[in-house]
Amino acid sequence: MEPRCVECGFPIKTLFVQYSPGNIRLMRCENCKAVADEYIECEFMIILIDLILHKTKAYRHLLFNVINQHTVNFEGSLWKSIFAFLLLDAYRSLLLKRNEGEWGSSMSFSSIVWTFQEIVQDVFVGNFVFFCIFLLSMRLMLNTTIQISRCKDILLAVLVSSYFKIFLIATMVWEFLSSVIFIIDLFVLSSNTVALKVITDSAMNRCIAVCFCAQALKLLVTQVPARRLLRF
């Protein structure tokens, strides 16, 4: 993906010109005449706040101008994001089991092994279903052609926009109701929707439908008795 103007999404050849270390000039967009990417000179916390507020220009900065195949180790970033995503998802499953009373210090070794097996199953099967339905829904609802390079870009966008999952770590310090976990899931869903809208330039209602279908099927697979059927 080539760099984009964060205001209008128009492709930009160069975001800035560097005259000397620490001395740069931000380029203007040929389409909207605004500064192509004002976030280049912003602190990380400002960018993070705008991401939390779901500002599309912050997502354009992150997905097009920061995570770029020409500026970062794209494959390395993809694998690291996958590992972090699956690890946080596994911790989410563990939290749900702990709140349901399925996890405790009095568990036998066989129960721990069985619970661990269920968590691994939930994480891998659930996310496999999620991404399959996500790509299929994109093909049907957004009429998007899914190529290998395009698929990698979309996959990384979904993984990175799921950053709200990191707030699950707060449960290591404070105790929360299980409803907080589902509130975080809603934030992840909304963040995925904005990321999908930015990277595909599609209508918001269609992006909501794509993300909702994928998330709903994932929740169905990991929560309903389909998991228990594998015991028999």
PDB file of all heavy atoms in Angstrom, residues 2-20:
ATOM      1  N   GLU A   2       0.530   2.205  -0.832  1.00  0.00           N
ATOM      2  CA  GLU A   2       1.287   3.442  -0.869  1.00  0.00           C
ATOM      3  C   GLU A   2       0.736   4.430   0.149  1.00  0.00           C
ATOM      4  O   GLU A   2      -0.416   4.325   0.566  1.00  0.00           O
ATOM      5  CB  GLU A   2       1.238   4.051  -2.270  1.00  0.00           C
ATOM      6  CG  GLU A   2      -0.165   4.318  -2.799  1.00  0.00           C
ATOM      7  CD  GLU A   2      -0.139   4.796  -4.235  1.00  0.00           C
ATOM      8  OE1 GLU A   2       0.908   5.304  -4.659  1.00  0.00           O
ATOM      9  OE2 GLU A   2      -1.169   4.663  -4.917  1.00  0.00           O
ATOM     10  N   PRO A   3       1.557   5.408   0.578  1.00  0.00           N
ATOM     11  CA  PRO A   3       1.094   6.401   1.563  1.00  0.00           C
ATOM     12  C   PRO A   3      -0.136   7.146   1.078  1.00  0.00           C
ATOM     13  O   PRO A   3      -0.331   7.344  -0.127  1.00  0.00           O
ATOM     14  CB  PRO A   3       2.305   7.329   1.705  1.00  0.00           C
ATOM     15  CG  PRO A   3       3.479   6.499   1.281  1.00  0.00           C
ATOM     16  CD  PRO A   3       2.967   5.587   0.205  1.00  0.00           C
ATOM     17  N   ARG A   4      -0.960   7.567   2.021  1.00  0.00           N
ATOM     18  CA  ARG A   4      -2.196   8.275   1.690  1.00  0.00           C
ATOM     19  C   ARG A   4      -2.316   9.573   2.484  1.00  0.00           C
ATOM     20  O   ARG A   4      -1.747   9.703   3.575  1.00  0.00           O
ATOM     21  CB  ARG A   4      -3.415   7.394   2.024  1.00  0.00           C
ATOM     22  CG  ARG A   4      -3.492   6.073   1.300  1.00  0.00           C
ATOM     23  CD  ARG A   4      -3.804   6.235  -0.178  1.00  0.00           C
ATOM     24  NE  ARG A   4      -3.923   4.958  -0.858  1.00  0.00           N
ATOM     25  CZ  ARG A   4      -5.066   4.300  -1.024  1.00  0.00           C
ATOM     26  NH1 ARG A   4      -6.191   4.804  -0.533  1.00  0.00           N
ATOM     27  NH2 ARG A   4      -5.091   3.154  -1.668  1.00  0.00           N
ATOM     28  N   CYS A   5      -3.061  10.502   1.936  1.00  0.00           N
ATOM     29  CA  CYS A   5      -3.439  11.706   2.676  1.00  0.00           C
ATOM     30  C   CYS A   5      -4.422  11.302   3.764  1.00  0.00           C
ATOM     31  O   CYS A   5      -5.399  10.597   3.479  1.00  0.00           O
ATOM     32  CB  CYS A   5      -4.073  12.721   1.727  1.00  0.00           C
ATOM     33  SG  CYS A   5      -4.838  14.145   2.555  1.00  0.00           S
ATOM     34  N   VAL A   6      -4.178  11.716   4.986  1.00  0.00           N
ATOM     35  CA  VAL A   6      -5.051  11.292   6.083  1.00  0.00           C
ATOM     36  C   VAL A   6      -6.396  12.010   6.047  1.00  0.00           C
ATOM     37  O   VAL A   6      -7.365  11.562   6.672  1.00  0.00           O
ATOM     38  CB  VAL A   6      -4.369  11.519   7.454  1.00  0.00           C
ATOM     39  CG1 VAL A   6      -3.097  10.703   7.561  1.00  0.00           C
ATOM     40  CG2 VAL A   6      -4.083  13.004   7.703  1.00  0.00           C
ATOM     41  N   GLU A   7      -6.483  13.104   5.306  1.00  0.00           N
ATOM     42  CA  GLU A   7      -7.729  13.868   5.241  1.00  0.00           C
ATOM     43  C   GLU A   7      -8.710  13.294   4.229  1.00  0.00           C
ATOM     44  O   GLU A   7      -9.895  13.136   4.519  1.00  0.00           O
ATOM     45  CB  GLU A   7      -7.425  15.334   4.894  1.00  0.00           C
ATOM     46  CG  GLU A   7      -6.570  16.063   5.914  1.00  0.00           C
ATOM     47  CD  GLU A   7      -7.289  16.290   7.233  1.00  0.00           C
ATOM     48  OE1 GLU A   7      -8.534  16.216   7.248  1.00  0.00           O
ATOM     49  OE2 GLU A   7      -6.608  16.540   8.238  1.00  0.00           O
ATOM     50  N   CYS A   8      -8.208  12.972   3.032  1.00  0.00           N
ATOM     51  CA  CYS A   8      -9.115  12.521   1.969  1.00  0.00           C
ATOM     52  C   CYS A   8      -8.801  11.123   1.450  1.00  0.00           C
ATOM     53  O   CYS A   8      -9.580  10.558   0.679  1.00  0.00           O
ATOM     54  CB  CYS A   8      -9.093  13.508   0.802  1.00  0.00           C
ATOM     55  SG  CYS A   8      -7.497  13.606  -0.057  1.00  0.00           S
ATOM     56  N   GLY A   9      -7.659  10.559   1.839  1.00  0.00           N
ATOM     57  CA  GLY A   9      -7.299   9.215   1.405  1.00  0.00           C
ATOM     58  C   GLY A   9      -6.665   9.143   0.035  1.00  0.00           C
ATOM     59  O   GLY A   9      -6.467   8.045  -0.504  1.00  0.00           O
ATOM     60  N   PHE A  10      -6.301  10.283  -0.534  1.00  0.00           N
ATOM     61  CA  PHE A  10      -5.688  10.311  -1.871  1.00  0.00           C
ATOM     62  C   PHE A  10      -4.239   9.819  -1.786  1.00  0.00           C
ATOM     63  O   PHE A  10      -3.510  10.187  -0.870  1.00  0.00           O
ATOM     64  CB  PHE A  10      -5.726  11.738  -2.426  1.00  0.00           C
ATOM     65  CG  PHE A  10      -5.395  11.846  -3.882  1.00  0.00           C
ATOM     66  CD1 PHE A  10      -6.312  11.480  -4.847  1.00  0.00           C
ATOM     67  CD2 PHE A  10      -4.144  12.303  -4.287  1.00  0.00           C
ATOM     68  CE1 PHE A  10      -6.007  11.579  -6.205  1.00  0.00           C
ATOM     69  CE2 PHE A  10      -3.828  12.400  -5.637  1.00  0.00           C
ATOM     70  CZ  PHE A  10      -4.759  12.039  -6.595  1.00  0.00           C
ATOM     71  N   PRO A  11      -3.786   8.978  -2.746  1.00  0.00           N
ATOM     72  CA  PRO A  11      -2.399   8.479  -2.712  1.00  0.00           C
ATOM     73  C   PRO A  11      -1.378   9.621  -2.797  1.00  0.00           C
ATOM     74  O   PRO A  11      -1.556  10.567  -3.572  1.00  0.00           O
ATOM     75  CB  PRO A  11      -2.317   7.579  -3.951  1.00  0.00           C
ATOM     76  CG  PRO A  11      -3.734   7.189  -4.230  1.00  0.00           C
ATOM     77  CD  PRO A  11      -4.561   8.371  -3.845  1.00  0.00           C
ATOM     78  N   ILE A  12      -0.326   9.512  -2.000  1.00  0.00           N
ATOM     79  CA  ILE A  12       0.719  10.528  -1.944  1.00  0.00           C
ATOM     80  C   ILE A  12       2.071   9.875  -2.205  1.00  0.00           C
ATOM     81  O   ILE A  12       2.370   8.816  -1.652  1.00  0.00           O
ATOM     82  CB  ILE A  12       0.748  11.233  -0.560  1.00  0.00           C
ATOM     83  CG1 ILE A  12      -0.611  11.867  -0.255  1.00  0.00           C
ATOM     84  CG2 ILE A  12       1.859  12.260  -0.481  1.00  0.00           C
ATOM     85  CD1 ILE A  12      -0.956  13.029  -1.144  1.00  0.00           C
ATOM     86  N   LYS A  13       2.877  10.492  -3.046  1.00  0.00           N
ATOM     87  CA  LYS A  13       4.198   9.938  -3.318  1.00  0.00           C
ATOM     88  C   LYS A  13       5.138  10.117  -2.127  1.00  0.00           C
ATOM     89  O   LYS A  13       5.860   9.208  -1.733  1.00  0.00           O
ATOM     90  CB  LYS A  13       4.792  10.609  -4.556  1.00  0.00           C
ATOM     91  CG  LYS A  13       4.065  10.267  -5.861  1.00  0.00           C
ATOM     92  CD  LYS A  13       4.742  10.930  -7.050  1.00  0.00           C
ATOM     93  CE  LYS A  13       4.024  10.578  -8.347  1.00  0.00           C
ATOM     94  NZ  LYS A  13       4.664  11.241  -9.526  1.00  0.00           N
ATOM     95  N   THR A  14       5.153  11.324  -1.552  1.00  0.00           N
ATOM     96  CA  THR A  14       6.049  11.638  -0.444  1.00  0.00           C
ATOM     97  C   THR A  14       5.283  12.407   0.612  1.00  0.00           C
ATOM     98  O   THR A  14       4.603  13.391   0.297  1.00  0.00           O
ATOM     99  CB  THR A  14       7.249  12.478  -0.916  1.00  0.00           C
ATOM    100  OG1 THR A  14       7.900  11.807  -1.991  1.00  0.00           O
ATOM    101  CG2 THR A  14       8.242  12.692   0.217  1.00  0.00           C
ATOM    102  N   LEU A  15       5.387  11.968   1.869  1.00  0.00           N
ATOM    103  CA  LEU A  15       4.681  12.631   2.961  1.00  0.00           C
ATOM    104  C   LEU A  15       5.441  13.844   3.483  1.00  0.00           C
ATOM    105  O   LEU A  15       4.831  14.791   3.977  1.00  0.00           O
ATOM    106  CB  LEU A  15       4.439  11.644   4.105  1.00  0.00           C
ATOM    107  CG  LEU A  15       3.495  10.472   3.790  1.00  0.00           C
ATOM    108  CD1 LEU A  15       3.501   9.473   4.936  1.00  0.00           C
ATOM    109  CD2 LEU A  15       2.084  10.971   3.539  1.00  0.00           C
ATOM    110  N   PHE A  16       6.764  13.802   3.387  1.00  0.00           N
ATOM    111  CA  PHE A  16       7.573  14.921   3.873  1.00  0.00           C
ATOM    112  C   PHE A  16       8.920  14.932   3.170  1.00  0.00           C
ATOM    113  O   PHE A  16       9.351  13.933   2.587  1.00  0.00           O
ATOM    114  CB  PHE A  16       7.776  14.828   5.390  1.00  0.00           C
ATOM    115  CG  PHE A  16       8.528  13.602   5.839  1.00  0.00           C
ATOM    116  CD1 PHE A  16       9.909  13.606   5.958  1.00  0.00           C
ATOM    117  CD2 PHE A  16       7.840  12.425   6.140  1.00  0.00           C
ATOM    118  CE1 PHE A  16      10.602  12.468   6.357  1.00  0.00           C
ATOM    119  CE2 PHE A  16       8.525  11.287   6.538  1.00  0.00           C
ATOM    120  CZ  PHE A  16       9.915  11.306   6.642  1.00  0.00           C
ATOM    121  N   VAL A  17       9.550  16.080   3.237  1.00  0.00           N
ATOM    122  CA  VAL A  17      10.899  16.248   2.702  1.00  0.00           C
ATOM    123  C   VAL A  17      11.819  16.571   3.869  1.00  0.00           C
ATOM    124  O   VAL A  17      11.533  17.477   4.654  1.00  0.00           O
ATOM    125  CB  VAL A  17      10.959  17.375   1.654  1.00  0.00           C
ATOM    126  CG1 VAL A  17      12.407  17.595   1.197  1.00  0.00           C
ATOM    127  CG2 VAL A  17      10.064  17.053   0.469  1.00  0.00           C
ATOM    128  N   GLN A  18      12.900  15.825   4.006  1.00  0.00           N
ATOM    129  CA  GLN A  18      13.836  16.048   5.100  1.00  0.00           C
ATOM    130  C   GLN A  18      15.067  16.783   4.574  1.00  0.00           C
ATOM    131  O   GLN A  18      15.785  16.308   3.706  1.00  0.00           O
ATOM    132  CB  GLN A  18      14.254  14.709   5.722  1.00  0.00           C
ATOM    133  CG  GLN A  18      15.172  14.856   6.920  1.00  0.00           C
ATOM    134  CD  GLN A  18      15.415  13.541   7.638  1.00  0.00           C
ATOM    135  OE1 GLN A  18      14.958  12.497   7.208  1.00  0.00           O
ATOM    136  NE2 GLN A  18      16.118  13.602   8.758  1.00  0.00           N
ATOM    137  N   TYR A  19      15.303  17.982   5.116  1.00  0.00           N
ATOM    138  CA  TYR A  19      16.450  18.791   4.718  1.00  0.00           C
ATOM    139  C   TYR A  19      17.686  18.453   5.543  1.00  0.00           C
ATOM    140  O   TYR A  19      18.804  18.485   5.046  1.00  0.00           O
ATOM    141  CB  TYR A  19      16.110  20.276   4.862  1.00  0.00           C
ATOM    142  CG  TYR A  19      14.961  20.704   3.962  1.00  0.00           C
ATOM    143  CD1 TYR A  19      13.704  20.992   4.496  1.00  0.00           C
ATOM    144  CD2 TYR A  19      15.135  20.818   2.595  1.00  0.00           C
ATOM    145  CE1 TYR A  19      12.653  21.384   3.675  1.00  0.00           C
ATOM    146  CE2 TYR A  19      14.081  21.200   1.763  1.00  0.00           C
ATOM    147  CZ  TYR A  19      12.845  21.490   2.312  1.00  0.00           C
ATOM    148  OH  TYR A  19      11.811  21.871   1.496  1.00  0.00           O
ATOM    149  N   SER A  20      17.455  18.117   6.825  1.00  0.00           N
ATOM    150  CA  SER A  20      18.538  17.731   7.735  1.00  0.00           C
ATOM    151  C   SER A  20      17.892  16.997   8.898  1.00  0.00           C
ATOM    152  O   SER A  20      16.664  17.050   9.060  1.00  0.00           O
ATOM    153  CB  SER A  20      19.306  18.967   8.223  1.00  0.00           C
ATOM    154  OG  SER A  20      18.445  19.842   8.937  1.00  0.00           O
TER     155      SER A  20
END
